[in-house]
Amino acid sequence: MIGTRGYPSYYGGFETAVRRIAPYLADEGWDVTVYGRTGSTRDEDPGRDPRVHTVVTGGIEKKSLSTLTYGLTACWHAAWHKPDVALVMNVANGFWLPLLRMRGIKTLVNVDGIEWDRQKWGRLAKLTFRIGAKLTARWGNRMVYDAEAIAERWKRDFGVDGVFIPYGGDEPAETLPVPEGLTRRGYVLVVARFVPENTVGEFFDAVEALGQNHDVVIVGSSGYGGELDERAEDLAARLPRVQWLGHVSDDAKLHALWQHAGVYFHGHSVGGTNPALVQAMACGAPTVARDTVYNREVLGEGAVLTAPEPQAIIQACERMLGDADLQEHSAATALERSRAIYTWDRVCGAYEENLAELAG
């Protein structure tokens, strides 16, 4: 498994997927190795499955170079040791797929979202991702798309098919305690990486008003500091009802926040099926989402959608907070859809099936 921060890591959606897929494959009799980065995992992590092997390779720890450089060293190491099949995450690794192809290693590639559409990247980075995608389409053996809309885009842009495998969610086994200092169905929650395409800036504008009368919990950061981190810190300092928790790696804490939220705002716009949204659904969170083709696909009919504008976000969140029937309908609908489509058993089973086919 190539292209993530390692195992077990709690950084983002790819890492969450690896934490579930790797042990599942071990259960099915696979010999699993996960490549990672220096300092991204803990050796004594209680969530570590000892059957999963880990290899840490070198790279340049900079925003624009980390994925490319760590991907190169991981692919080089894998090419030397020649596994039966590689699960590769992220099209930036398309540059290095020829190394694996020349060694006869079949690849299943999760292409992620449309990275070259993301506002957080400059022109050079967008070009790099676009070229990486073209190379992935050329050299990868089979693509994985986490949303049907992503599959349609790849078919249109690159002329390649693939398989639809979304992300899964963990449904809490019981009702978790309400987070300290909050009331059930009484607060606004956002869980997001601080990048422009996640509507974080517009949400922070909305918090100026929402935070006057409602509790607001902000989970996330940019990972590199910057303007949005500074704004979150400022909001929490000025408004007594606003909390900024930063990055939260404690799954139980996150699940409790989703389970008891009055409204979860999901502003992601370009990523396909988003792991945070799927997990919020599994926790039964009443959800207001930015109106995008991806969020409509995941949430299905009856979703509460909003334009990416501060006033529209305020109105949608206050509507949800003020209507208990709407809250419970949204929560029940999300949970039902999660159980039908977005479970980790389905997801891991689909990965195992496709890896087995490629490995022969």
Side-chain angles (χ1 to χ4, degrees):
M1 305 177 79
I2 295 170
T4 75
R5 290 175 177 261
Y7 173 84
S9 174
Y10 304 84
Y11 180 76
F14 274 163
E15 285 73 23
T16 300
V18 166
R19 282 191 285 122
R20 299 306 301 260
I21 297 168
Y24 182 96
L25 293 175
D27 286 341
E28 296 299 314
W30 289 75
D31 181 11
V32 184
T33 296
V34 179
Y35 287 88
R37 305 180 186 181
T38 303
S40 294
T41 61
R42 303 189 305 270
D43 290 338
E44 303 303 319
D45 194 310
R48 178 184 293 274
D49 187 322
R51 298 173 300 174
V52 177
H53 310 293
T54 58
V55 174
V56 175
T57 60
I60 300 173
E61 195 58 60
K62 289 188 177 180
K63 181 178 179 181
S64 59
L65 293 173
S66 58
T67 299
L68 280 171
T69 56
Y70 281 104
L72 171 59
T73 55
C75 285
W76 186 267
H77 188 279
W80 180 261
H81 289 273
K82 200 176 180 182
D84 296 309
V85 62
L87 173 57
V88 180
M89 306 292 207
N90 199 316
V91 296
N93 291 307
F95 289 92
W96 321 127
L97 291 180
L99 288 173
L100 303 179
R101 175 69 75 92
M102 286 188 295
R103 291 286 286 165
I105 302 166
K106 298 292 183 68
T107 53
L108 181 66
V109 186
N110 184 318
V111 305
D112 201 14
I114 310 300
E115 288 291 328
W116 52 96
D117 283 353
R118 293 185 186 272
Q119 298 176 46
K120 69 176 181 178
W121 300 119
R123 291 177 61 185
L124 180 59
K126 289 180 178 180
L127 178 62
T128 300
F129 277 116
R130 178 77 181 188
I131 295 172
K134 288 183 177 181
L135 293 171
T136 297
R138 170 68 179 83
W139 294 102
N141 292 105
R142 187 176 298 178
M143 308 299 121
V144 171
Y145 308 117
D146 64 39
E148 300 285 4
I150 296 291
E152 293 170 6
R153 177 74 178 269
W154 270 68
K155 180 66 173 179
R156 183 173 70 248
D157 288 4
F158 305 115
V160 293
D161 293 312
V163 292
F164 164 61
I165 309 178
Y167 288 97
D170 289 307
E171 184 179 338
E174 58 185 358
T175 300
L176 300 166
V178 179
E180 186 176 354
L182 299 170
T183 58
R184 177 170 169 79
R185 298 293 186 249
Y187 58 93
V188 182
L189 173 68
V190 68
V191 180
R193 193 170 301 164
F194 289 0
V195 292
E197 61 268 21
N198 289 349
T199 325
V200 176
E202 294 87 343
F203 179 77
F204 286 172
D205 290 339
V207 170
E208 295 284 359
L210 289 170
Q212 301 292 334
N213 303 307
H214 308 284
D215 292 327
V216 178
V217 180
I218 301 168
V219 176
S221 69
S222 69
Y224 296 91
E227 179 185 352
L228 290 173
D229 295 76
E230 292 169 3
R231 286 196 65 189
E233 184 177 21
D234 175 66
L235 286 166
R238 287 191 294 107
L239 300 175
R241 301 191 69 170
V242 175
Q243 300 180 53
W244 178 37
L245 304 183
H247 178 72
V248 174
S249 60
D250 183 339
D251 284 346
K253 185 174 183 177
L254 265 179
H255 293 178
L257 286 167
W258 270 311
Q259 194 176 69
H260 297 289
V263 54
Y264 163 61
F265 174 72
H266 184 80
H268 297 61
S269 63
V270 298
T273 296
N274 183 266
L277 178 56
V278 170
Q279 185 56 59
M281 293 165 65
C283 291
T287 300
V288 168
R290 177 170 172 171
D291 190 1
T292 70
V293 62
Y294 307 116
N295 293 336
R296 289 197 300 271
E297 177 184 322
V298 175
L299 289 166
E301 295 183 4
V304 178
L305 303 170
T306 183
E309 301 164 358
Q311 192 57 43
I313 295 169
I314 293 168
Q315 292 174 354
C317 288
E318 289 191 331
R319 175 192 169 205
M320 183 73 79
L321 285 168
D323 190 335
D325 290 339
L326 180 60
Q327 286 179 327
E328 295 315 309
H329 174 74
S330 175
T333 301
L335 183 56
E336 180 181 2
R337 191 164 176 80
S338 170
R339 290 169 174 170
I341 303 173
Y342 302 103
T343 67
W344 278 119
D345 276 347
R346 285 175 177 269
V347 170
C348 294
Y351 273 104
E352 201 273 338
E353 179 182 351
N354 281 276
L355 289 167
E357 288 178 1
L358 288 170

